Amino acid sequence: MEIAVLKNSGEDTGRKVNLSDDIFGIEPNDHAIYLDVKQFLANQRQGTHKSKERAEIAGSTKKIKKQKGTGTARAGSIKSPVFRGGGRVFGPKPRNYGFKLNKKLKALARKSALAYKAKDNNVIVLEDFSFEAPKTKEFVNLLTNLSVADKKTLLVISNEDKNVAISGRNLQNAKVTTADTLNTYDVLNADNLLISESSVEKLENILK
């Protein structure tokens, strides 16, 4: 699959890059995508939720009323879950929600997500670029020139570029990532995928 390489100004460079059919042209695997996105979202959870059980409640352990003759149920502690202010039964405890996935499955999920974007013609390849200084205005101009300023965009660059990353950091609908940290969730969450020319080969080496 060949696609034109564009300049920052949105003009055609006259060059074309070949997107590998082994990555951008596969039949997407929806279940692999589901598992990878599920793992990504699970890893975002803090898991610090906690409620106190009856053994952790501060309160008297004195028997609050006699065992028999009251006409109501027996009660041995004010910390019982049946009383207001008592401990909680089977309450949440701190835990890790993460789970393991095989590397090949995660790679398949990423390839499937990229294939969906290529199938919908939502992939734009840019020639390699950099900013002399962090400027949000320059990043906005880049998106405007490519006619994607009003859409969610994910820019994939080959290596970490601080100036580019900071320039797009304050934009709500834009995100910058590198080829080796690209994940399925970010690809699917974006309306358009912007890939630098050098990132194409790097992605193919990572996902081959």
Side-chain angles (χ1 to χ4, degrees):
M1 176 182 178
E2 285 192 341
I3 186 170
V5 180
L6 303 181
K7 297 180 181 179
N8 291 359
S9 59
E11 299 174 359
D12 194 338
T13 61
R15 301 193 310 276
K16 290 189 176 182
V17 66
N18 184 45
L19 299 182
S20 173
D21 289 337
D22 294 335
I23 296 176
F24 293 89
I26 68 168
E27 182 65 31
N29 188 311
D30 291 339
H31 189 62
I33 290 176
Y34 161 74
L35 290 175
D36 199 19
V37 170
K38 182 180 179 181
Q39 185 199 47
F40 176 83
L41 294 177
N43 289 336
Q44 307 308 304
R45 300 185 67 174
Q46 285 186 316
T48 54
H49 40 37
K50 177 71 173 71
S51 66
K52 291 185 177 181
E53 298 185 353
R54 63 184 298 167
E56 300 167 312
I57 293 292
S60 173
T61 57
K62 177 183 177 182
K63 188 170 176 64
I64 58 177
K65 62 182 179 181
K66 63 181 183 178
Q67 180 80 346
K68 297 184 178 181
T70 63
T72 57
R74 297 170 291 181
S77 171
I78 197 66
K79 298 189 289 183
S80 170
V82 301
F83 293 123
R84 181 178 180 181
R88 184 172 176 183
V89 181
F90 304 128
K93 295 181 179 180
R95 56 166 291 193
N96 178 14
Y97 283 92
F99 58 92
K100 183 181 179 300
L101 286 180
N102 293 331
K103 289 182 180 179
K104 288 185 178 180
L105 188 143
K106 290 177 69 67
L108 175 60
R110 273 177 288 173
K111 287 191 285 187
S112 298
L114 291 171
Y116 269 126
K117 284 290 178 266
K119 186 177 180 181
D120 295 336
N121 295 320
N122 290 329
V123 177
I124 300 174
V125 178
L126 298 173
E127 65 177 358
D128 294 334
F129 69 95
S130 182
F131 295 149
E132 294 182 0
K135 287 285 185 180
T136 302
K137 186 176 181 179
E138 288 191 29
F139 201 98
V140 172
N141 289 338
L142 168 67
L143 299 180
T144 302
N145 293 336
L146 298 172
S147 302
V148 294
D150 58 340
K151 299 178 181 178
K152 281 187 178 180
T153 56
L154 177 65
L155 173 61
V156 183
I157 53 180
S158 58
N159 297 306
E160 189 172 351
D161 188 319
K162 188 176 181 180
N163 289 342
V164 175
I166 294 177
S167 298
R169 186 170 58 185
N170 289 334
L171 298 177
Q172 184 176 6
N173 290 332
K175 184 172 183 178
V176 180
T177 187
T178 57
D180 54 353
T181 59
L182 183 68
N183 65 72
T184 305
Y185 179 85
D186 285 340
V187 174
L188 294 175
N189 191 45
D191 295 322
N192 289 88
L193 188 63
L194 312 181
I195 308 178
S196 67
E197 193 173 359
S198 58
S199 296
V200 175
E201 183 179 355
K202 193 168 185 178
L203 277 174
E204 291 176 356
N205 291 333
I206 293 172
L207 299 175
K208 64 181 179 181

